[in-house]
């Protein structure tokens, strides 16, 4: 790929611990970046030993992050940090995460500040980073959504129904996420208790030794009989679930974007979320989703969506996802790269 001056441009997409994060939103962000750049002809590599690149596009904040930035600087490369993590979404996740959160914030501020330019998924996360006192230029670009994966496919829906032995009369409420309190798992369970006539399925997995005992016990069996934790499931089954469930209920308290929300919208699904800051300016209550704030409102919204007593918002939701296609994201990344090369 050529920049606006006609010179070739190559990007190093760096994700430390790729195998460990592959099942997370950040892991999907890697795949999305690769597809997005392919759509606009930007050459990329994930080989950190390859010095034939112009821009380090670093996405993770683990132990080797500072070293990879130092190496890039020593070889005259530009550095873009993709800020997927904030102190706010680190809290209420792992054991001791709240106690460690101030140190985590200091760590990420130090790393992010070493970049020439910062990308982050939403205006909301941009505002958080600016509130930390970071002075590096920051631009919001969605993680995007692979629309080809999530269009309606009857065979995928049937695969999902077979996998869970669903009967035609079964009503299914879906959620996808790691087993974090921040993701709203406790509220998901409480809503399921109050709606025993529906099946509630939470896709996702994490080493249970990393989460608080209360969450561990819930996942291991202390949950209502109408709740299913199938673990991490990929491919046709989960894609069929997004399209074939009766509602997508994501009661997360904090996100930097929420790729699973985009996946649900792209699947033409009815989406129910918590009314939180990250959705400002792109999700609108009763327009392209439904928003609640507490158990009572969530119960009423889930029931209304499943029983179709509330108007469908799926058409507008799909339009929202289409605006965040990977082709659109690719164009925005390309423009950001060209801008950084001029710094």
């Amino acid at each position: 790929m050529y920049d606006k001056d006609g010179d070739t441009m190559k990007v190093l997409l760096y994700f430390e611990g790729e195998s460990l994060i592959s099942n997370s939103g950040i892991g999907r962000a890697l795949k999305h970046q690769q597809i997005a750049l392919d759509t606009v002809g930007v050459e990329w590599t994930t080989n950190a030993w390859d010095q034939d690149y112009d821009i380090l596009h670093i996405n993770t904040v683990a132990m080797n992050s500072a070293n990879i930035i130092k190496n890039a600087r020593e070889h005259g490369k530009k550095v873009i940090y993709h800020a997927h993590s904030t102190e706010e979404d680190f809290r209420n996740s792992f054991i001791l995460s709240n106690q460690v959160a101030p140190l985590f914030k200091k760590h990420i501020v130090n790393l992010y500040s070493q970049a020439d330019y910062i990308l982050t998924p939403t205006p909301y996360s941009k505002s958080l980073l600016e509130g930390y006192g970071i002075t590096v230029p920051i631009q919001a670009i969605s993680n995007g959504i692979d629309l080809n994966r999530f269009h309606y496919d009857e065979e995928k829906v049937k695969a999902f129904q077979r996998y869970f032995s669903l009967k035609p009369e079964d009503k299914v409420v879906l959620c996808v996420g790691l087993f974090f309190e921040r993701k709203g798992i406790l509220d998901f369970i409480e809503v399921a208790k109050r709606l025993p006539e529906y099946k509630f399925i939470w896709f996702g997995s994490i080493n249970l030794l990393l989460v608080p005992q209360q969450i561990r016990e819930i996942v291991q069996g202390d949950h209502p009989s109408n709740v299913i934790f199938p673990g991490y499931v990929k491919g046709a089954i989960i894609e069929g679930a997004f399209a074939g469930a009766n509602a997508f209920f994501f009661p997360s308290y904090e996100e930097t974007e929420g790729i699973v929300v985009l996946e649900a919208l792209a699947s033409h699904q009815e989406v129910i979320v918590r009314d939180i800051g990250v959705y400002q300016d792109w999700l609108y209550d009763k327009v392209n989703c439904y928003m609640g704030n507490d158990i009572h409102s969530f119960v009423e919204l889930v029931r209304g969506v499943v029983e179709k007593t509330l108007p469908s918002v799926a058409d507008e939701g799909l339009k929202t996802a289409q605006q965040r296609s990977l082709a659109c994201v690719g164009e925005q990344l390309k423009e950001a790269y060209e801008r950084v090369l001029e710094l």
Side-chain angles (χ1 to χ4, degrees), residues 76-90:
K77 315 297 186 182
K78 296 293 186 178
V79 177
I80 291 179
Y81 224 119
H82 211 126
H84 299 282
S85 300
T86 65
E87 178 190 14
E88 286 75 6
D89 78 353
F90 182 76

Side-chain angles (χ1 to χ4, degrees), residues 204-223:
S205 180
I206 193 171
N207 186 333
L208 291 176
L209 296 177
L210 300 176
V211 298
Q213 182 177 353
Q214 181 185 18
I215 305 297
R216 191 183 316 140
E217 290 176 350
I218 285 173
V219 175
Q220 289 177 329
D222 187 18
H223 56 257

Side-chain angles (χ1 to χ4, degrees), residues 169-233:
E169 66 271 20
D170 286 337
K171 306 291 180 64
V172 178
V173 180
L174 174 68
C175 188
V176 181
L178 299 177
F179 302 141
F180 291 158
E181 183 178 349
R182 170 177 67 82
K183 293 288 185 180
I185 189 170
L186 300 180
D187 293 332
F188 186 82
I189 294 296
E190 187 58 36
V191 171
K193 286 180 182 177
R194 302 190 188 191
L195 294 170
E197 64 270 33
Y198 305 151
K199 292 183 183 295
F200 285 72
I201 303 176
W202 182 297
F203 286 95
S205 180
I206 193 171
N207 186 333
L208 291 176
L209 296 177
L210 300 176
V211 298
Q213 182 177 353
Q214 181 185 18
I215 305 297
R216 191 183 316 140
E217 290 176 350
I218 285 173
V219 175
Q220 289 177 329
D222 187 18
H223 56 257
S225 59
N226 63 324
V227 175
I228 303 169
F229 289 107
Y232 177 73
V233 180

Side-chain angles (χ1 to χ4, degrees), residues 88-295:
E88 286 75 6
D89 78 353
F90 182 76
R91 289 180 176 275
N92 297 310
S93 54
F94 302 99
I95 292 175
L96 299 179
S97 61
N98 289 3
Q99 291 87 334
V100 176
L103 294 176
F104 180 75
K105 177 182 177 181
K106 184 176 180 181
H107 171 66
I108 60 175
V109 168
N110 175 57
L111 288 175
Y112 294 164
S113 298
Q114 295 179 45
D116 296 297
Y117 203 74
I118 296 173
L119 299 178
T120 194
T122 54
Y124 170 75
S125 53
K126 179 177 184 286
S127 70
L128 292 180
L129 298 175
E130 290 171 340
Y132 296 169
I134 294 173
T135 57
V136 176
I138 306 172
Q139 180 181 354
I141 298 179
S142 171
N143 285 308
I145 181 66
D146 185 353
L147 296 172
N148 293 328
R149 279 187 60 203
F150 293 97
H151 66 272
Y152 186 88
D153 185 319
E154 187 174 354
E155 290 307 311
K156 290 181 179 179
V157 172
K158 288 179 179 178
F160 156 64
Q161 293 169 338
R162 286 194 301 269
Y163 189 85
F164 290 99
S165 302
L166 296 174
K167 303 180 183 68
E169 66 271 20
D170 286 337
K171 306 291 180 64
V172 178
V173 180
L174 174 68
C175 188
V176 181
L178 299 177
F179 302 141
F180 291 158
E181 183 178 349
R182 170 177 67 82
K183 293 288 185 180
I185 189 170
L186 300 180
D187 293 332
F188 186 82
I189 294 296
E190 187 58 36
V191 171
K193 286 180 182 177
R194 302 190 188 191
L195 294 170
E197 64 270 33
Y198 305 151
K199 292 183 183 295
F200 285 72
I201 303 176
W202 182 297
F203 286 95
S205 180
I206 193 171
N207 186 333
L208 291 176
L209 296 177
L210 300 176
V211 298
Q213 182 177 353
Q214 181 185 18
I215 305 297
R216 191 183 316 140
E217 290 176 350
I218 285 173
V219 175
Q220 289 177 329
D222 187 18
H223 56 257
S225 59
N226 63 324
V227 175
I228 303 169
F229 289 107
Y232 177 73
V233 180
K234 61 181 180 179
I237 293 168
I238 193 166
E239 290 162 20
F242 271 112
N246 299 92
F248 179 78
F249 171 40
F250 188 63
S252 178
Y253 285 84
E254 185 70 33
E255 296 291 323
T256 54
E257 182 172 40
I259 288 180
V260 295
V261 175
L262 287 175
E263 291 171 346
L265 295 172
S267 303
H268 200 241
Q269 181 57 263
E270 308 290 346
V271 171
I272 301 162
V273 296
R274 190 181 302 277
D275 186 2
I276 55 176
V278 71
Y279 304 130
Q280 185 177 357
D281 299 328
W282 65 284
L283 288 186
Y284 301 94
D285 185 30
K286 302 180 183 68
V287 177
N288 55 5
C289 72
Y290 284 100
M291 291 182 170
N293 285 302
D294 53 30
I295 300 300

Side-chain angles (χ1 to χ4, degrees), residues 304-340:
V305 165
V306 171
E307 301 300 335
K308 302 186 185 303
T309 58
L310 289 173
S312 173
V313 293
D315 287 348
E316 290 300 316
L318 177 57
K319 292 178 186 177
T320 301
Q322 290 169 340
Q323 293 165 3
R324 287 157 177 76
S325 72
L326 294 184
C328 293
V329 170
E331 291 292 348
Q332 293 177 71
L333 290 175
K334 175 183 171 183
E335 291 171 3
Y337 294 157
E338 292 172 346
R339 193 174 301 122
V340 167

